[in-house]
Structures are given as C-alpha cells and as structure tokens.
C-alpha cells in the first residue's frame, strides 16, 4: 500500500515515481520507458530470444502455453491499434493466458457515464493483467499508481498513452536494433537518426529515453521546426550525456548514420486545424538507398504513409516488418518477467 497521495506521487521526479512500480527487481507496472535499465533490457532480450526459439517446436510451444494458463489479461484499447493490440494478444496466448478486450468505450458501461477509473477497477477484478492504450497522456501513470492500492495489486502495461509514451514499442525497437547490431559490435557508439513528428510521436520519445542506456550513442533528431523533439526529452538526453543534434534536413545526414528511425506525421492530434508544415524533406525513397551505409538499418514503428516508399521494403536493411514480429516476442518476454516465469523459460 502506498504511503503518498496521488497528488504527492505526481509531484515526484520521474526517477522516484519509477520506484513505486518495481519490487524485488521485477516490474509491477510498466508506465514509462525510463523504468528500463540496461540489465533489465538485456535480460528481456535474452528471454525474448528464448521464447522465440522455444516457439519453433511443438514441444516448446506447449511448454510455453503451460506457464500461465490460469491467468487472464484485459486489453483496454480505446485508441486504434493493429500491431500493439494483436502482438500483445498473441504474446498472452503464447504464454497460455486468455484475453478479453474493450476497444470502444461505446460498447462498455462508460457510455452510461461510468468513469474510466471505475471501468479499470472492474477489469482488475476479473483479470490478472491490464494492458491499456488510450489518448490521454499521464492517465496510465495515475491508474497504475491507484492500482497499487486496489485488491490484488494487478499489474498494468502502458501500450501507448497520448502523445507521451509508448514504452513497449521502444522496447521492441531497441530489441530489433540489438539483433541488427549483434554481430557488429552491439548498439553502443552507434549514430541513429530519428525522423518525423518527434514532438507528438510517442514511439520516438520513448525510444530516445531507452537509447540513453547505451554508451556513446549519437542522435540526429530530424523534424520540421514545428514538430521538433520536446524539451523534456532533450533535457533527459543532456542529463545522460547522450549527444544529439537537431535538423530539418534528414537527407543531409544519410551517409553518416548506422540506423534511421522513420515515423509518421501524427496529424490525428491536429484536431481539424490546417497546418502549413513543409513535409517535403521527410521522405525516404529508393533513390536515397545508395547514400546509406551498407549496414544502415531502416526502422519504422508502422503504420506508415508515404514517408517510406514501398520500393524499399525488399532492401535487406529494411527491418520494419521484423520490428512488428519482434514486438510479439519481446512482449511475451515482458509478461513472463512480470509474472515471474522468466526463470522457467531460461532454464527449460
Ligand atoms: N506501432 C504501433 O503502435 O502500431 P499500432 O498503432 O498499429 O499498434
């Protein structure tokens, strides 16, 4: 049971807030990308590799399904999703969990005026894990804190919170980079360009946090001036000695980078207002591939629009569909960690 009020909790520094969501080196809730440190990341990568490998055989799949057959997960997704929703559902099923979902509050008693807090409390009565995506930045952390004092203290995972954070997307992005650079000296000391709507793109924001766990990373933050990375992330990069530059010309830097992370313009947040932002310098096209290093990996959290030409999909450096698959394995690893069956998997 927590000894501080919600208001007091929200006034704490984020590093202090993270401490509420961990117990005996195990996450009780995953709300912020800042909750991951390097040892935890590397443990999860090993675990994801083990889940992937076990899933290759029928015996392995049956073993994985025997781990959590008595646990139920609730997927509460009130913002649209394809990859995150389906890969979390698949991850639960890999571990034998059953799932239920609410994807449209118009189909739940919220339409009768029930608050989201009450809805979540009810979900936590019927389920052992809540996986939640919704449009309000900061809401997940409030609920995660409140859940610490609800009966059963059920774990919760932030599957995307407004324009703020998407920690498990960043986790799968990092897992993908870790696999890409496995035979090339690892991820330390790599130069990575984040491109697109860095102001409202929660995936790029969470990934920037996670990359500070690695040594000597250099970041190029490429965005139109109106959509530049927000000051809170830049402050975090400075505090963690992660070098970065900002530019609105991604093409000027293509030859020097080890990975490029493209993102979509998040215009669902424009709320109908017309913008005059110049997006013309944001696309990666087939004609740009020759400028990239032979082992410069191309990532995108997806969905994409025109910022990556489909002609690039067959280039061996394009790993965005691998990212989507990696999401399922690393999310299974995360759930296994939260439910303390990680050792069973690693020792099997
Ligand atoms: N990358 C990502 O979050 O995709 P979805 O919105 O389809 O879940």
């Amino acid at each position: 049971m927590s000894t501080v009020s919600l208001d007091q909790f929200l006034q704490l520094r984020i590093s202090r807030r993270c401490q509420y969501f961990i117990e005996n080196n195990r996450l009780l809730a995953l709300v912020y990308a800042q909750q991951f440190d390097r040892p935890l990341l590397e443990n999860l990568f090993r675990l994801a590799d083990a889940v992937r490998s076990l899933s290759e055989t029928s015996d392995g799949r049956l073993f994985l399904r025997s781990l959590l057959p008595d646990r139920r997960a609730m997927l509460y997704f009130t913002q649209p999703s394809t990859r995150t929703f389906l890969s979390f559902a698949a991850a639960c099923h890999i571990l034998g969990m059953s799932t239920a979902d609410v994807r449209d509050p118009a189909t739940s008693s919220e339409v009768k005026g029930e608050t989201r807090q009450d809805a979540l409390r009810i979900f936590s009565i019927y389920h052992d894990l809540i996986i939640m995506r919704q449009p309000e930045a900061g809401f997940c952390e409030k609920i995660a804190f409140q859940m610490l004092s609800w009966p059963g203290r059920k774990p919760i995972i932030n599957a995307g919170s407004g324009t703020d954070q998407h920690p498990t997307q960043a986790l799968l992005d990092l897992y993908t980079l870790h696999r890409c650079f496995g035979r090339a000296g690892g991820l330390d000391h790599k130069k990575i360009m984040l491109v697109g709507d860095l102001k409202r793109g929660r995936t790029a924001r969470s990934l920037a946090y996670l990359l500070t766990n690695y040594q000597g990373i250099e970041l190029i933050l490429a965005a139109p001036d109106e959509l530049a990375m927000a000051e809170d992330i830049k402050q975090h990069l400075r505090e963690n000695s992660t070098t970065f530059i900002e530019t609105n010309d991604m093409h000027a830097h293509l030859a020097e980078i080890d990975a490029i992370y493209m993102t979509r313009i998040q215009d669902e947040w424009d709320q109908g207002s017309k913008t005059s932002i110049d997006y013309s310098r944001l696309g990666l096209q087939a004609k740009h591939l020759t400028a990239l290093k032979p082992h410069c990996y191309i990532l995108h959290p997806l969905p994409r629009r025109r910022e990556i030409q489909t002609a690039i999909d067959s280039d061996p450096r394009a790993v965005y569909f691998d990212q989507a698959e990696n999401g399922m394995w690393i999310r299974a690893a995360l759930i296994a960690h939260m439910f303390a069956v990680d050792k069973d998997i690693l020792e099997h």
Side-chain angles (χ1 to χ4, degrees), residues 30 32-38 40-41 44-45 165-177 187-188 192 194 202-215 217 219 233 236-237 240 242 330:
L30 173 61
Y32 320 107
Q34 298 94 309
Q35 289 175 258
F36 293 113
D37 59 16
R38 183 118 178 213
L40 177 55
L41 289 168
L44 290 173
F45 297 163
Q165 286 245 12
H166 193 348
T168 64
Q169 176 68 43
L171 183 62
L172 76 88
D173 296 335
L174 206 63
Y175 178 48
T176 303
L177 288 168
L187 183 46
D188 293 312
I192 298 171
L194 309 184
R202 58 194 176 195
T203 70
R205 286 174 52 79
S206 288
L207 182 57
Y209 279 125
L210 280 198
L211 285 168
T212 61
N213 286 289
Y214 288 77
Q215 302 273 316
I217 292 282
L219 288 180
I233 302 284
H236 186 83
L237 296 175
N240 288 277
T242 301
I330 198 76

Side-chain angles (χ1 to χ4, degrees), residues 35-109:
Q35 289 175 258
F36 293 113
D37 59 16
R38 183 118 178 213
L40 177 55
L41 289 168
E42 289 179 356
N43 283 339
L44 290 173
F45 297 163
R46 261 193 302 279
L47 196 53
D49 286 343
V51 173
R52 180 195 300 261
S53 167
L54 282 164
S55 293
E56 286 171 7
T57 67
S58 174
D59 280 353
R61 289 193 290 276
L62 287 173
F63 162 72
L64 289 168
R65 250 183 274 159
S66 74
L67 292 171
L68 296 170
D70 55 340
R71 302 295 188 142
R72 294 182 294 274
M74 176 68 194
L75 287 92
Y76 179 49
F77 275 57
T78 59
Q79 272 189 306
S81 169
T82 298
R83 277 146 292 272
T84 313
F85 178 84
L86 290 174
S87 64
F88 261 121
C92 290
H93 299 155
I94 286 169
L95 298 171
M97 297 176 86
S98 56
T99 55
D101 61 79
V102 168
R103 301 198 66 173
D104 178 356
T107 65
S108 82
S109 285

Side-chain angles (χ1 to χ4, degrees), residues 70-75 97-102 119-131 147 151-155 339:
D70 55 340
R71 302 295 188 142
R72 294 182 294 274
M74 176 68 194
L75 287 92
M97 297 176 86
S98 56
T99 55
D101 61 79
V102 168
L120 280 152
R121 185 153 183 169
I122 298 300
F123 299 156
S124 78
I125 293 170
Y126 303 140
H127 296 89
D128 304 293
L129 169 66
I130 308 287
I131 302 167
M147 280 179 76
R153 209 171 58 163
K154 306 289 175 62
F339 283 93

